[in-house]
Amino acid sequence: MACSYFWSIDKAATTPAIFKEITLFFIPVSFLIMKPFNKNQVYKLLKYYSYAMLFYAGFFLLRALIRYIITADQRVFFYHGDYDDDYGLVPKLLNAIHVSVYMAVAFFYFLNKEIKNKIDIICASILFGFIFLLSSKNIIIVFVFLIGLHFFYFSKSSNKMRLRNLIIFIAIIVSVFSFSKIKNRFLVEFQSNTKNSVSHNVYNEADEGVNYVSIYEAWNNEKFSPGDYFPGTAFRVYQFRMFVEIFSEEPLFWKGLGLNASQEKLKEKEIKYNLYPGYGSFNFHNQYVQNFAELGFIGFLILIAILIINIKTAMKHKNFIHISFAVLMISLFLTESFLWRQKGVLFFISLYCLFHIREDKNILKI
């Protein structure tokens, strides 16, 4: 990232971004300097982290309840709002997708405990409900997969009571998706992923006159209009299309455009395709694409190596919390440029180091 300054096409954007990312260097160095954590210390830190996330979940649920009493608007219990209209469960600046990941790691701490008391069950239930209320489609799908993985392969009763676990698992999922707000979050994606845009009666928060862009349109349209709205999947397809175009126009394969230097190119594409002003200020919303575009094939390869080491270590030591973290990161990077946000960098590198360093040969074996 730092080296990319020397070939960046936008040095003014690269310089502050390097300082934002510098914890990727300082936190691992700190872990190497300090005395390695033992097994009990690692679990104690995960325990403190999980209870802290539980506190935040309780705070935002209470906040939502108070706001609902005042406004009678059900949206206060779901997802996040806009920067200028904070109607969601968490503020836009926090990002419901990111918060879902923080909460999921905490949830799996309580779920993974071999002996659970009533408090553990209550804590896990609160975090479970909060994650679904956040309504992040990608994280919910992966979250459900990881719960199933735990029930069928990691829990003590997995071999003896698989039928019971399957029934409980299906019952939980069916009950959760019965909530109309959560169901509509998925419907707007599935029904907009056809050639025709989604209709107003499917997505009940839509404004009249807004055209919902489908995946087909996002990839093929030569022009859009300021009235077009890109649902999550369609927008990410459009951004990948822009990456392919920029890749064909710029010599970025080995070195990339430079850290944070792709934004000007995306703004140019916004003007070219007549998008609503502001779409060009969004990053690629895909960490793999972001790395390739700005750091080239070398930066992309480093990211893949980090993720492979992470999942390999987790699987080797059969540490379910670590496995959950590794899988969540791999999936999150498909829809978010998570490491291009300071809070994302801090979260990822702190837990990455925590899971990989321990007294015996600096490898965590839980």
Side-chain angles (χ1 to χ4, degrees), residues 108 137-147 324 327-328 331:
F108 287 120
K137 300 176 289 295
N138 175 32
I139 300 305
I140 286 176
I141 291 171
V142 177
F143 181 63
V144 168
F145 165 76
L146 289 169
I147 292 175
S324 301
V327 174
L328 283 166
S331 62

Side-chain angles (χ1 to χ4, degrees), residues 97-163:
I97 302 170
H98 295 187
V99 176
S100 296
V101 174
Y102 310 151
M103 297 295 166
V105 173
F107 169 84
F108 287 120
Y109 164 79
F110 292 109
L111 183 68
N112 194 54
K113 295 180 73 171
E114 290 188 3
I115 302 174
K116 301 179 186 66
N117 55 36
K118 290 182 179 180
I119 293 178
D120 294 326
I121 295 172
I122 292 172
C123 292
S125 300
I126 293 172
L127 290 169
F128 178 89
F130 191 74
I131 290 167
F132 274 89
L133 290 176
L134 286 169
S135 311
S136 168
K137 300 176 289 295
N138 175 32
I139 300 305
I140 286 176
I141 291 171
V142 177
F143 181 63
V144 168
F145 165 76
L146 289 169
I147 292 175
L149 186 68
H150 181 271
F151 273 143
F152 299 126
Y153 294 101
F154 283 88
S155 67
K156 295 182 70 174
S157 63
S158 60
N159 292 324
K160 298 178 181 178
M161 308 183 74
R162 284 192 175 173
L163 180 60

Side-chain angles (χ1 to χ4, degrees), residues 314-347:
M315 296 296 292
K316 178 181 178 181
H317 300 130
K318 299 179 180 179
N319 178 1
F320 183 73
I321 305 175
H322 189 179
I323 291 172
S324 301
F325 168 72
V327 174
L328 283 166
M329 290 298 99
I330 290 171
S331 62
L332 178 66
F333 287 178
L334 288 170
T335 61
E336 296 293 315
S337 298
F338 191 63
L339 299 182
W340 262 234
R341 293 286 179 265
Q342 192 171 43
K343 58 180 179 286
V345 172
L346 286 169
F347 174 82

Side-chain angles (χ1 to χ4, degrees), residues 20-243:
K20 181 179 66 178
E21 303 286 342
I22 204 164
T23 47
L24 279 173
F25 173 76
F26 282 128
I27 290 179
V29 169
S30 300
F31 270 85
L32 291 172
I33 293 174
M34 72 174 70
K35 181 181 178 181
F37 296 114
N38 59 40
K39 175 181 176 180
N40 291 333
Q41 288 173 323
V42 170
Y43 265 114
K44 189 171 289 186
L45 286 169
L46 289 172
K47 174 184 175 181
Y48 294 154
Y49 167 82
S50 300
Y51 277 109
M53 292 301 103
L54 183 70
F55 170 80
Y56 279 112
F59 170 81
F60 283 111
L61 287 171
L62 179 61
R63 172 180 180 263
L65 180 61
I66 293 172
R67 298 172 79 202
Y68 178 73
I69 293 172
I70 296 172
T71 66
D73 187 345
Q74 294 182 3
R75 294 182 300 170
V76 299
F77 290 107
F78 301 93
Y79 202 53
H80 58 230
D82 297 321
Y83 288 115
D84 57 351
D85 187 5
D86 181 19
Y87 57 77
L89 181 58
V90 297
K92 173 75 170 181
L93 191 62
L94 286 182
N95 192 312
I97 302 170
H98 295 187
V99 176
S100 296
V101 174
Y102 310 151
M103 297 295 166
V105 173
F107 169 84
F108 287 120
Y109 164 79
F110 292 109
L111 183 68
N112 194 54
K113 295 180 73 171
E114 290 188 3
I115 302 174
K116 301 179 186 66
N117 55 36
K118 290 182 179 180
I119 293 178
D120 294 326
I121 295 172
I122 292 172
C123 292
S125 300
I126 293 172
L127 290 169
F128 178 89
F130 191 74
I131 290 167
F132 274 89
L133 290 176
L134 286 169
S135 311
S136 168
K137 300 176 289 295
N138 175 32
I139 300 305
I140 286 176
I141 291 171
V142 177
F143 181 63
V144 168
F145 165 76
L146 289 169
I147 292 175
L149 186 68
H150 181 271
F151 273 143
F152 299 126
Y153 294 101
F154 283 88
S155 67
K156 295 182 70 174
S157 63
S158 60
N159 292 324
K160 298 178 181 178
M161 308 183 74
R162 284 192 175 173
L163 180 60
R164 185 210 65 171
N165 290 345
L166 179 62
I167 294 172
I168 294 174
F169 181 68
I170 292 174
I172 291 172
I173 301 308
V174 170
S175 63
V176 168
F177 280 98
S178 64
F179 285 98
S180 60
K181 294 285 183 180
I182 298 173
K183 182 170 63 178
N184 281 349
R185 286 277 303 156
F186 282 85
L187 283 176
V188 70
E189 293 293 345
F190 294 139
Q191 296 193 32
S192 66
N193 292 347
T194 63
K195 191 169 182 177
N196 296 322
S197 295
V198 65
S199 62
H200 175 69
N201 59 1
V202 172
Y203 190 52
N204 55 17
E205 282 120 1
D207 295 323
E208 294 289 352
V210 173
N211 175 54
Y212 281 78
V213 177
S214 68
I215 283 182
Y216 178 88
E217 293 168 332
W219 185 258
N220 292 284
N221 279 15
E222 292 300 321
K223 284 287 182 180
F224 298 94
S225 71
D228 287 340
Y229 173 78
F230 289 78
T233 306
F235 174 68
R236 287 161 175 84
V237 169
Y238 165 80
Q239 291 291 69
F240 185 74
R241 175 187 174 186
M242 295 305 102
F243 165 71

